[in-house]
Amino acid sequence: MREALLVAAKDLRIEMRSRVLLFQVAPFAVATLVLLGFALDADRSALRNFSPGLFWVAVLLTALLAAQRSVAVEHAGRAADALLLSGVGPARIFAGKALALAAQLAALEVGLGVAMVVLYDARIEHFGLAVASAAAATVGIAAAGTLYGVLAAPMGVRETLLPVMLLPVFAPVLIGATRAFGDALGTAATNGWAWFGLLGLFALVYAVFGALAYGPLLEAEA
Amino acid sequence: MSILLGRSPDRQPPGAAPAHTGSRTTRLLGGLALAGLVGLGLCAFVFSPADSRPGPEAGARIGQFDAVRLMYVHVPAAIWTYAALGACALASAVYLWHRGAWWDRLAHACAEIGVVLCAVTLLTGMIWGRPVWGTWWEWGDVRLVTTLVLFLAYAGYLALRSVPGAPEARARRSAVLGLGGAVLIPIVNRSVEWWENRTLHQQSTLEELRIEDLTLFTLVLGIFVMGAVVLWLAVHRFRVAWLEAEAESAGLQAALAERRAEAAAAEPGAGAGGSGP
Amino acid sequence: MESAVWLRDAVCCRGGFPALAGVDLDVTEGEVLLLRGPNGAGKTTLLRLLAGLASLDGGRGTVLGCDLGGERRELRPQVGLLGHDLMLYEDLTVTENLRFFAALAGASETEARAALERLEVSARLREVSLRRLSAGQRKRIAAAVLAVRRPRLWLLDEPHAGLDESGRAAVSGLVRDAAARGATVLLASHEAPAASEVATRTVHLAGGIVVSAAEAAVSPSAEARDA
C-alpha cells in the first residue's frame, strides 16, 4: 500500500509541475460541453434534460486524454523500466496509477459539474446520490483507463488505438452514470441508487481484473 | 491439438511449407458445409412457408411474411457469434494461465470469425427490423445494443492484433483484451436491460410464430450448417496463423545465420573463441 | 566464487531482428567486465537481457541465480541499469526523482543526499526540474539513482559518454566503490581508456555473439570463467 501511494503521489506531483491536465485537458472538457450545447441548438429545457448524458460524454472523452497522459508519463525516457526494476508488485503500480488518475478525474468532474450548472441550467436535487455515483463511476473509469492505457502504451499508435479499445468498455459507465445523474438532477424518474450499485460493480470488476492483468502486461513490455 | 493441425501441415518435411491449409478432414467438412448451405438455401427460400396468419380483423393477415426467412441466417449467426467470441475469451484466459502459442492462435481465429458473424447478425437483424418493427435500429432492445457493444469491443481486439510487434508481447496484450471483452458483456447486458425496461425482441420467437414443422427444421438446419461453416473457417484460420508463425521462425533462423556470418566477418581470427560449446 | 552471469546460446530479438544471435558468457561475482564491439554488435540488448527487461528467445541463462525464463521479477530489484534512456521523470526535480526511487528501494533520505554528493551534483541544481538539465547533468542524476539502489549487478551502457572530466572520474569512482563492495559490473563502452582502467576483463561482441572472451587483463577471476 505504501508503494501504491508513492506511485500515486509521484503522478500527482508530475501533474502539479507540468499542468497538462489543467491547461490542456480541462479546457478541452469545457469546450466539449459548449459544442454539445451548440449541437442541441441551445434549447434551455432540452439542455437541462440531457445535461446528465452530456456531462458524462464530456467526462469520458476527457478520461481518454487523461489515461493517455498517465501512460505517457511512464514511457517518456523509459521510466516504466525503472518501475519494473524497482521490484514493486504490478498490482501496486496499478493501484497507484489508478488512484492518481481517479483523483485527477475527480478534480476535472468538479470543474465540469460547475460548467454544467452554469451552461445547461442543471439543478442538483440529490447531492449525495450525485457525489456517490460520480465517485463509483470515476473509480471504474480510472481502473479501466489505467489497464487499457498500458495495453496500448508501447506501440506508436497509442492515440488512435486507445479510444477504439476503451470506448466500448465505457458504454456501461455512460449508461449507468447518466441514469444515476438523471435521478440526482431530477430529469429522469428512475432509481438512482440501483444505478449506483451497477457503477460500483463495474468499478469492482475492473479494479480486480486490472490488478490481476497488469502484471502480464508489464512483463509483455519488457 | 491434432484435430486443428490436421495431417497436412505437420507431416510436411521441415522447410517445405504446405501450399494450402486443407486436409482430408477439412475437405470433408467443407463438402458437408457446402451441401448444407445448398440444402439450407432450398429449405429457406423454397420449401418453408412465409409467416402469415389471420389477424384480429376479418380477412387481414398478419405476421412477418417473407422477412421470417432472414431468421434462418440471423439466429444461427447470433448463436455462433457468442460461441466464437466466448471461445476467444476462454482461449485468452487459458493463454494467460499456461502460455503456449496454440491458445493465442485459437483466440485469434475465433475472434476474427466472431467479429464477422457479429456483423452478419447485426446486418440481418437490421434488415429484418425495418419491415417487422418499422425501424432499422431500436435503442430499447437489450440484445441489439449488447451485440453492438460486443462487436465494437472485439473490433478493438482485432485492431490491437493488427499492430506489429513481438509475437509474445502481442499475445499477452491480446489475451487480456480478449478476456476483458467477456468480462464486459454481462455488465453491458444488465445495464441496457435496466436502461430501457422494455424489449422489442420477442422473448420466445419460436413459440409466438406458431412455428410449423418445416420452419423449425430449417432453423435447426441453419444452426448446424452455420456451425460447420464456422468450424471449417476456424480450422483454416488457425492453420494460416500456424503457417505465419512457421514463416516467422524460418525468417528468424535466416536472420540468425546472417547475424552470425556478420560476427565471423568482423573477427576472422577469433571467431571460435566465444561461440564454441 | 559464485557465478553472476551464465548464458548459453542466448538469443534475444528486438522487433524481429536477432540482436543477440547465440551468446555464451560467464561472469563471476565481483568481476568488472568491459564489453566492447562495434555499433550494432548487441551490447545494449545484452545489458537489457541481463537486467530482466528483455525476454530470452532462445538458449538458456541465469543471472544472480535467477532463471531468465521464469524468475525475471525476482532478478530485477537486484540489478541496476544505466542506459541511453535515463529512466527518470522529466517533470520532477532532481531531489524528487531521487527521493521517489530511494523510497521504492527502501533507502533513506540521507543515502539519497550522499549519492548526489558522490556524483558532485551542485546544490543549486537539486531543486530544478530535470527537463532543464543538460544531458551530462542528467546522466549524473541517473548514476546517483543507481548508487542509491545499491544493486548486486551493475549494467552500464556507455556510462562515460557525454560526461565531462569530473563526471567521468565520478562514474569511475562509483564503479570502483561497487566492485569493492563485491558487486558485479558489466560496462559497455567505446571509450577504452576511461573504461579499461576500472575493468578486470574485456569481452568482444560482434554480430550478436561473443567473438573473443580470451583477452583477460590483470584479472584474478578469469580462470574461473570456464569452470
Side-chain angles (χ1 to χ4, degrees), chain A residues 2-3 6-8 10-11 13-14 17-18 69 73-74 76-90 215-216 218-219 221-222, chain C residues 14 48 51-55 72-73 76-81 85-93 96 99-101 103-106 129 131 149:
Chain A
R2 185 188 75 94
E3 287 149 331
L6 276 173
V7 171
K10 181 265 301 171
D11 270 16
R13 184 164 286 131
I14 288 177
R17 297 246 183 276
S18 67
R69 170 69 184 158
V73 160
E74 302 298 342
R78 280 192 190 260
D81 282 350
L83 276 185
L84 270 179
L85 286 172
S86 72
V88 178
L218 284 187
E219 291 289 322
E221 283 182 52
Chain C
R14 303 310 278 167
R48 286 185 64 80
L53 291 175
S55 62
R72 288 196 285 157
R73 194 179 286 178
R76 287 192 202 112
Q78 309 182 50
V79 175
L81 176 67
D85 299 299
L86 295 180
M87 311 196 294
L88 298 170
Y89 296 100
E90 294 267 295
D91 289 308
L92 296 182
T93 67
E96 284 165 345
R99 204 182 284 157
F100 176 64
F101 287 111
L104 288 186
S129 116
R131 201 175 282 288
R149 293 188 55 226

Side-chain angles (χ1 to χ4, degrees), chain A residues 164-213:
Chain A
V164 170
M165 296 193 299
L166 199 48
L167 285 180
V169 176
F170 283 162
V173 180
L174 183 60
I175 294 173
T178 300
R179 298 301 282 179
F181 260 45
D183 189 7
L185 271 58
T187 60
T190 178
N191 179 4
W193 287 105
W195 289 104
F196 165 76
L198 186 99
L199 291 170
L201 177 74
F202 180 90
L204 185 71
V205 166
Y206 271 87
V208 171
F209 183 55
L212 292 176

Side-chain angles (χ1 to χ4, degrees), chain B residues 228-273:
Chain B
V229 171
V230 165
L231 194 62
W232 184 80
L233 282 172
V235 171
H236 279 281
R237 183 63 191 87
F238 180 92
R239 287 181 182 167
V240 168
W242 185 80
L243 286 175
E244 278 169 355
E246 285 292 293
E248 211 165 282
S249 92
L252 180 63
Q253 289 308 319
L256 265 176
E258 209 172 287
R259 191 96 168 103
R260 286 180 180 139
E262 186 190 325
E267 207 99 353

Side-chain angles (χ1 to χ4, degrees), chain A:
Chain A
M1 197 59 214
R2 185 188 75 94
E3 287 149 331
L5 289 177
L6 276 173
V7 171
K10 181 265 301 171
D11 270 16
L12 292 177
R13 184 164 286 131
I14 288 177
E15 169 52 25
M16 267 160 54
R17 297 246 183 276
S18 67
R19 305 274 167 92
V20 167
L21 255 57
L22 183 64
F23 289 149
Q24 295 173 28
V25 179
F28 166 81
V30 175
T32 310
L33 278 191
V34 173
L35 285 182
L36 289 172
F38 291 149
L40 289 181
D41 224 5
D43 173 347
R44 187 168 285 264
S45 72
L47 280 179
R48 187 187 298 161
N49 274 336
F50 291 128
S51 54
L54 301 182
F55 172 81
W56 283 103
V57 166
V59 168
L60 292 182
L61 293 179
T62 310
L64 278 181
L65 294 188
Q68 264 167 4
R69 170 69 184 158
S70 165
V71 185
V73 160
E74 302 298 342
H75 281 265
R78 280 192 190 260
D81 282 350
L83 276 185
L84 270 179
L85 286 172
S86 72
V88 178
R92 288 170 197 179
I93 300 178
F94 172 79
K97 298 220 47 106
L99 206 61
L101 185 56
Q104 293 169 348
L105 284 175
L108 284 166
E109 282 167 22
V110 169
L112 271 176
V114 171
M116 176 182 73
V117 169
V118 172
L119 293 173
Y120 294 170
D121 196 24
R123 286 165 207 160
I124 301 175
E125 292 179 3
H126 305 291
F127 200 74
L129 175 62
V131 170
S133 51
T138 305
V139 171
I141 295 170
T146 305
L147 176 67
Y148 283 71
V150 78
L151 265 175
M155 296 163 281
V157 289
R158 187 191 304 155
E159 294 77 7
T160 42
L161 189 58
L162 184 61
V164 170
M165 296 193 299
L166 199 48
L167 285 180
V169 176
F170 283 162
V173 180
L174 183 60
I175 294 173
T178 300
R179 298 301 282 179
F181 260 45
D183 189 7
L185 271 58
T187 60
T190 178
N191 179 4
W193 287 105
W195 289 104
F196 165 76
L198 186 99
L199 291 170
L201 177 74
F202 180 90
L204 185 71
V205 166
Y206 271 87
V208 171
F209 183 55
L212 292 176
Y214 209 66
L217 289 179
L218 284 187
E219 291 289 322
E221 283 182 52

